Amino acid sequence: GAGVSQSPSNKVTEKGKDVELRCDPISGHTALYWYRQSLGQGLEFLIYFQGNSAPDKSGLPSDRFSAERTGGSVSTLTIQRTQQEDSAVYLCASSLAGFRGNEKLFFGSGTQLSVL
Amino acid sequence: AQSVTQLDSQVPVFEEAPVELRCNYSSSVSVYLFWYVQYPNQGLQLLLKYLSGSTLVESINGFEAEFNKSQTSFHLRKPSVHISDTAEYFCAVSVNRSGFNKFYFGSGTKLNVKP
């Protein structure tokens, strides 16, 4: 597609349920990032993919969070046993190569997750 | 450790007035600096970036930012704002860690331009 696509745009779930958030990066972009944006907070880094591998998972808040990327393209962020503090906007971004510091990030519109 | 500080969470300003959005960063290594903008109901998009060379960088819509190494700042300015500049602005630094870029973002500044 023309840009980074995220789905769903909104997700309301009950505490304790699992959710999957999807990111479809720009075709050809090898680097993919997940960020979380909570109300009044900056963008919190979660995980980075270079191709299918994740050299940096240091931002994942707990073992309830996991992510994978298949075929060097689509990525899925999974949150198990959701908690109310997981409520936030989850943003995905991609860039062409990832190992050059001057690269522009292309962001999706995000998934607004609400845990009731 | 790296961090980005945007001291002002909200900046109200009247149309055609000048504005400055402040950004300070801390880093023990060289960084690249960026400003991203998020217009209402849209995703974040790059506004401008400093990589090297001239410390003053400009965007196509009249914003400019100046890299000040001694003060570790990268403030964003515009001499005369428009209603359409109403958005949230994020300062970011990019640090090369173990062969890839790690982007650190500030908490954002909401610019509200009033008529």
Side-chain angles (χ1 to χ4, degrees):
Chain A
V4 178
S5 177
Q6 291 187 247
S7 61
S9 56
N10 280 281
K11 178 70 177 179
V12 180
T13 190
E14 294 179 351
K15 179 182 172 181
K17 301 273 185 168
D18 298 351
V19 295
E20 282 190 354
L21 311 180
R22 176 188 167 106
C23 172
D24 200 343
I26 292 173
S27 178
H29 280 193
T30 61
L32 186 148
Y33 306 78
W34 281 98
Y35 288 88
R36 179 167 71 174
Q37 184 179 15
S38 303
L39 198 61
Q41 305 292 317
L43 276 69
E44 176 189 4
F45 169 82
L46 298 178
I47 188 169
Y48 160 79
F49 285 94
Q50 180 65 258
N52 289 338
S53 64
D56 191 339
K57 306 177 183 179
S58 62
L60 294 177
S62 73
D63 58 8
R64 295 187 295 106
F65 287 72
S66 63
E68 65 175 13
R69 188 178 185 193
T70 56
S73 181
V74 173
S75 176
T76 303
L77 177 68
T78 301
I79 309 173
Q80 295 179 309
R81 306 181 302 282
T82 51
Q83 303 294 313
Q84 288 182 333
E85 61 263 28
D86 299 334
S87 298
V89 176
Y90 289 81
L91 292 171
C92 176
S94 70
S95 68
L96 192 58
F99 50 79
R100 291 191 290 265
N102 57 359
E103 287 199 345
K104 174 181 173 180
L105 292 181
F106 293 81
F107 281 87
S109 297
T111 294
Q112 173 74 63
L113 176 64
S114 300
V115 182
L116 305 179
Chain B
Q2 284 73 39
S3 69
V4 180
T5 302
Q6 291 181 249
L7 290 173
D8 306 304
S9 60
Q10 297 195 49
V11 173
V13 64
F14 286 106
E15 194 173 19
E16 297 183 4
V19 72
E20 178 180 82
L21 307 183
R22 295 179 292 170
C23 173
N24 288 87
Y25 69 94
S26 64
S27 176
S28 56
V29 298
S30 296
V31 299
Y32 296 109
L33 298 158
F34 304 80
W35 277 97
Y36 280 80
V37 58
Q38 187 173 28
Y39 296 105
N41 302 314
Q42 294 186 30
L44 277 84
Q45 54 189 282
L46 180 67
L47 182 63
L48 49 75
K49 62 183 177 182
Y50 170 76
L51 306 178
S52 64
S54 172
T55 56
L56 186 67
V57 291
E58 298 178 354
S59 72
I60 59 173
N61 59 352
F63 280 93
E64 62 179 30
E66 185 162 18
F67 169 54
N68 188 318
K69 188 174 182 179
S70 63
Q71 296 185 5
T72 60
S73 68
F74 192 54
H75 302 329
L76 183 69
R77 303 183 182 97
K78 188 169 185 178
S80 176
V81 294
H82 299 280
I83 295 286
S84 59
D85 293 325
T86 294
E88 190 161 17
Y89 293 80
F90 293 88
C91 182
V93 301
S94 166
V95 179
N96 193 287
R97 303 292 294 246
S98 303
F100 81 95
N101 306 324
K102 196 157 184 176
F103 287 82
Y104 297 85
F105 285 83
S107 55
T109 298
K110 290 183 179 177
L111 177 64
N112 184 16
V113 182
K114 304 176 181 179

